[in-house]
Protein backbone atom coordinates (compact mmCIF):
# COMPACT_ATOMS: atom_id res chain seq x y z
CA UNK A 1 0.00 0.00 0.00
CA UNK A 2 2.67 2.51 1.03
CA UNK A 3 4.91 1.43 -1.84
CA UNK A 4 2.03 2.01 -4.30
CA UNK A 5 1.53 5.58 -3.05
CA UNK A 6 5.28 6.26 -3.23
CA UNK A 7 5.60 4.73 -6.71
CA UNK A 8 2.73 6.84 -8.02
CA UNK A 9 4.19 10.02 -6.49
CA UNK A 10 7.63 9.23 -7.90
CA UNK A 11 6.20 8.70 -11.40
CA UNK A 12 4.22 11.96 -11.30
CA UNK A 13 7.26 13.88 -10.00
CA UNK A 14 9.41 12.44 -12.77
CA UNK A 15 6.84 13.64 -15.33
CA UNK A 16 6.92 17.11 -13.75
CA UNK A 17 10.70 17.23 -14.06
CA UNK A 18 10.50 16.18 -17.73
CA UNK A 19 7.81 18.80 -18.40
CA UNK A 20 10.02 21.46 -16.77
CA UNK A 21 13.00 20.47 -18.94
CA UNK A 22 10.75 20.65 -21.99
CA UNK A 23 9.61 24.12 -20.93
CA UNK A 24 13.23 25.18 -20.49
CA UNK A 25 14.08 24.02 -24.01
CA UNK A 26 11.39 26.32 -25.40
CA UNK A 27 13.16 29.41 -24.03
CA UNK A 28 15.65 30.51 -26.64
CA UNK A 29 19.35 30.91 -26.26
CA UNK A 30 21.62 32.55 -28.83
CA UNK A 31 21.03 29.74 -31.34
CA UNK A 32 18.08 28.80 -33.51
CA UNK A 33 16.70 25.51 -32.25
CA UNK A 34 13.79 23.65 -33.87
CA UNK A 35 12.42 22.95 -30.36
CA UNK A 36 11.69 26.68 -30.04
CA UNK A 37 9.30 26.49 -32.96
CA UNK A 38 7.72 23.04 -32.40
CA UNK A 39 4.85 24.24 -30.21
CA UNK A 40 3.99 27.48 -32.02
CA UNK A 41 0.30 27.21 -32.81
CA UNK A 42 -0.67 27.87 -36.43
CA UNK A 43 -4.25 28.51 -37.52
CA UNK A 44 -4.48 25.63 -40.00
CA UNK A 45 -7.89 25.60 -41.69
CA UNK A 46 -9.58 26.96 -38.60
CA UNK A 47 -7.95 24.78 -35.94
CA UNK A 48 -4.80 25.63 -33.94
CA UNK A 49 -2.10 23.12 -34.91
CA UNK A 50 1.49 22.90 -33.59
CA UNK A 51 4.04 23.95 -36.20
CA UNK A 52 5.95 20.68 -35.72
CA UNK A 53 2.99 18.83 -37.30
CA UNK A 54 2.79 21.17 -40.30
CA UNK A 55 6.41 21.55 -41.39
CA UNK A 56 9.89 20.12 -41.37
CA UNK A 57 12.58 22.25 -39.73
CA UNK A 58 16.35 22.46 -40.02
CA UNK A 59 18.94 24.99 -39.00
CA UNK A 60 21.70 25.47 -41.56
CA UNK A 61 23.25 28.33 -39.57
CA UNK A 62 23.46 29.16 -35.87
CA UNK A 63 20.72 31.82 -35.88
CA UNK A 64 18.69 30.75 -38.94
CA UNK A 65 15.97 28.13 -39.13
CA UNK A 66 14.55 26.84 -42.41
CA UNK A 67 10.91 25.76 -42.23
CA UNK A 68 9.54 23.63 -45.07
CA UNK A 69 5.74 23.28 -44.87
CA UNK A 70 4.21 19.96 -45.90
CA UNK A 71 1.24 21.88 -47.33
CA UNK A 72 2.29 24.96 -49.34
CA UNK A 73 -1.18 26.47 -48.72
CA UNK A 74 -0.28 26.91 -45.05
CA UNK A 75 2.82 28.99 -45.84
CA UNK A 76 1.23 32.38 -45.08
CA UNK A 77 -0.39 31.17 -41.82
CA UNK A 78 2.88 29.62 -40.62
CA UNK A 79 4.70 32.87 -41.37
CA UNK A 80 2.07 34.88 -39.46
CA UNK A 81 2.26 32.55 -36.44
CA UNK A 82 6.06 32.83 -36.24
CA UNK A 83 5.96 36.62 -36.45
CA UNK A 84 3.33 36.78 -33.68
CA UNK A 85 5.07 34.25 -31.40
CA UNK A 86 6.02 35.79 -28.04
CA UNK A 87 9.66 35.89 -26.89
CA UNK A 88 11.08 35.05 -30.33
CA UNK A 89 11.46 38.32 -32.20
CA UNK A 90 12.33 36.39 -35.35
CA UNK A 91 12.51 38.11 -38.72
CA UNK A 92 10.80 35.97 -41.31
CA UNK A 93 11.38 35.63 -45.05
CA UNK A 94 9.15 33.63 -47.39
CA UNK A 95 10.23 32.64 -50.91
CA UNK A 96 7.02 30.80 -51.80
CA UNK A 97 8.42 27.35 -50.97
CA UNK A 98 10.21 27.68 -47.62
CA UNK A 99 10.33 30.11 -44.72
CA UNK A 100 13.59 31.40 -43.29
CA UNK A 101 13.34 32.59 -39.69
CA UNK A 102 16.36 34.51 -38.42
CA UNK A 103 16.69 35.14 -34.71
CA UNK A 104 18.28 38.42 -33.62
CA UNK A 105 21.39 38.54 -31.41
CA UNK A 106 20.46 38.47 -27.74
CA UNK A 107 21.36 41.56 -25.75
CA UNK A 108 22.45 41.22 -22.13
CA UNK A 109 19.16 42.74 -21.00
CA UNK A 110 17.17 40.24 -23.06
CA UNK A 111 19.23 37.35 -21.68
CA UNK A 112 18.40 38.46 -18.14
CA UNK A 113 14.69 38.57 -19.05
CA UNK A 114 14.93 35.00 -20.32
CA UNK A 115 16.67 33.94 -17.09
CA UNK A 116 13.71 35.39 -15.14
CA UNK A 117 11.28 33.48 -17.36
CA UNK A 118 13.21 30.23 -16.84
CA UNK A 119 13.33 30.77 -13.07
CA UNK A 120 9.56 31.30 -13.01
CA UNK A 121 9.04 28.07 -14.98
CA UNK A 122 11.38 26.27 -12.55
CA UNK A 123 9.44 27.58 -9.56
CA UNK A 124 6.17 26.42 -11.16
CA UNK A 125 7.65 22.94 -11.58
CA UNK A 126 8.76 22.88 -7.93
CA UNK A 127 5.26 23.90 -6.84
CA UNK A 128 3.86 21.05 -8.93
CA UNK A 129 6.19 18.59 -7.20
CA UNK A 130 5.24 19.94 -3.76
CA UNK A 131 1.55 19.51 -4.63
CA UNK A 132 2.24 15.89 -5.62
CA UNK A 133 4.05 15.41 -2.29
CA UNK A 134 1.11 16.91 -0.38
CA UNK A 135 -1.37 14.60 -2.09
CA UNK A 136 0.84 11.55 -1.47
CA UNK A 137 1.23 12.53 2.20
CA UNK A 138 -2.56 12.82 2.52
CA UNK A 139 -2.91 9.40 0.89
CA UNK A 140 -0.41 7.95 3.38
CA UNK A 141 -2.27 9.51 6.31
CA UNK A 142 -5.55 8.03 5.04
CA UNK A 143 -4.18 4.46 5.14
CA UNK A 144 -5.96 2.76 8.05
CA UNK A 145 -4.59 -0.77 7.92
CA UNK A 146 -0.89 0.10 8.42
CA UNK A 147 0.90 1.19 11.56
CA UNK A 148 2.06 4.71 12.40
CA UNK A 149 5.73 3.65 12.22
CA UNK A 150 5.31 2.39 8.67
CA UNK A 151 3.51 5.60 7.66
CA UNK A 152 6.33 7.67 9.22
CA UNK A 153 8.90 5.62 7.26
CA UNK A 154 6.86 6.14 4.10
CA UNK A 155 6.79 9.89 4.72
CA UNK A 156 10.59 9.92 5.11
CA UNK A 157 10.91 8.08 1.80
CA UNK A 158 8.48 10.55 0.24
CA UNK A 159 10.64 13.47 1.43
CA UNK A 160 13.74 11.84 -0.08
CA UNK A 161 11.96 11.31 -3.41
CA UNK A 162 10.74 14.93 -3.36
CA UNK A 163 14.23 16.26 -2.61
CA UNK A 164 15.71 14.23 -5.48
CA UNK A 165 13.22 15.66 -7.98
CA UNK A 166 13.54 19.25 -6.70
CA UNK A 167 17.33 18.91 -7.05
CA UNK A 168 16.87 17.64 -10.63
CA UNK A 169 14.87 20.77 -11.48
CA UNK A 170 17.51 22.97 -9.83
CA UNK A 171 20.26 21.28 -11.88
CA UNK A 172 18.34 21.75 -15.14
CA UNK A 173 17.67 25.37 -14.16
CA UNK A 174 21.38 26.04 -13.52
CA UNK A 175 22.33 24.52 -16.89
CA UNK A 176 19.74 26.61 -18.73
CA UNK A 177 20.80 29.81 -16.93
CA UNK A 178 24.44 29.18 -17.83
CA UNK A 179 23.40 28.51 -21.44
CA UNK A 180 21.37 31.73 -21.56
CA UNK A 181 24.09 33.92 -20.06
CA UNK A 182 26.80 32.43 -22.28
CA UNK A 183 27.84 34.98 -24.89
Amino acid sequence: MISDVLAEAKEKMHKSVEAAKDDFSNVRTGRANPALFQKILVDYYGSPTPLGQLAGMSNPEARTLVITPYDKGALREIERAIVNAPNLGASVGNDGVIIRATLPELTEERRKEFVKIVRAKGEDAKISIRNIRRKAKDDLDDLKEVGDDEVARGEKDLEAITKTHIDAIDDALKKKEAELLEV
Side-chain angles (χ1 to χ4, degrees):
M1 295 274 237
I2 292 175
S3 62
D4 293 342
V5 171
L6 293 177
E8 181 182 353
K10 189 174 187 175
E11 180 184 335
K12 287 181 179 178
M13 287 181 189
H14 180 71
K15 287 180 181 177
S16 289
V17 170
E18 292 304 312
K21 288 179 181 178
D22 188 44
D23 275 352
F24 293 165
S25 73
N26 290 333
V27 176
R28 71 171 271 220
T29 56
R31 298 175 290 281
N33 182 353
L36 294 173
F37 293 80
Q38 289 290 336
K39 293 185 179 176
I40 293 176
L41 293 178
V42 178
D43 183 25
Y44 186 63
Y45 295 111
S47 64
T49 308
L51 180 57
Q53 294 178 9
L54 295 175
M57 293 177 250
S58 64
N59 53 333
E61 299 169 19
R63 291 184 13 233
T64 304
L65 190 74
V66 174
I67 301 151
T68 310
Y70 303 131
D71 176 9
K72 303 299 181 211
L75 202 65
R76 182 105 36 238
E77 290 299 325
I78 291 172
E79 185 176 10
R80 186 175 302 134
I82 292 170
V83 169
N84 294 333
N87 296 326
L88 272 183
S91 59
V92 180
N94 169 359
D95 69 359
V97 179
I98 61 170
I99 298 170
R100 289 187 193 283
T102 305
L103 298 175
E105 267 308 311
L106 287 177
T107 63
E108 185 175 345
E109 181 180 309
R110 193 76 171 128
R111 289 175 191 272
K112 288 180 181 176
E113 284 179 37
F114 284 140
V115 167
K116 286 180 186 175
I117 290 170
V118 168
R119 285 184 181 157
K121 288 178 184 268
E123 193 56 42
D124 289 345
K126 289 180 190 177
I127 289 169
S128 167
I129 287 178
R130 290 185 199 116
N131 288 337
I132 294 167
R133 177 189 63 191
R134 184 180 319 113
K135 177 163 181 350
K137 187 174 178 332
D138 290 346
D139 290 348
L140 287 174
D141 290 342
D142 290 344
L143 294 176
K144 303 277 190 252
E145 54 276 345
V146 292
D148 291 342
D149 292 343
E150 291 177 38
V151 170
R153 231 177 285 121
E155 286 178 1
K156 274 187 182 176
D157 292 345
L158 180 62
E159 288 303 317
I161 292 168
T162 303
K163 183 175 180 354
T164 302
H165 287 87
I166 295 269
D167 290 346
I169 288 175
D170 284 337
D171 290 344
L173 187 61
K174 284 178 188 165
K175 287 178 187 172
K176 188 62 178 186
E177 282 182 23
E179 191 179 309
L180 281 169
L181 295 174
E182 176 185 305
V183 178

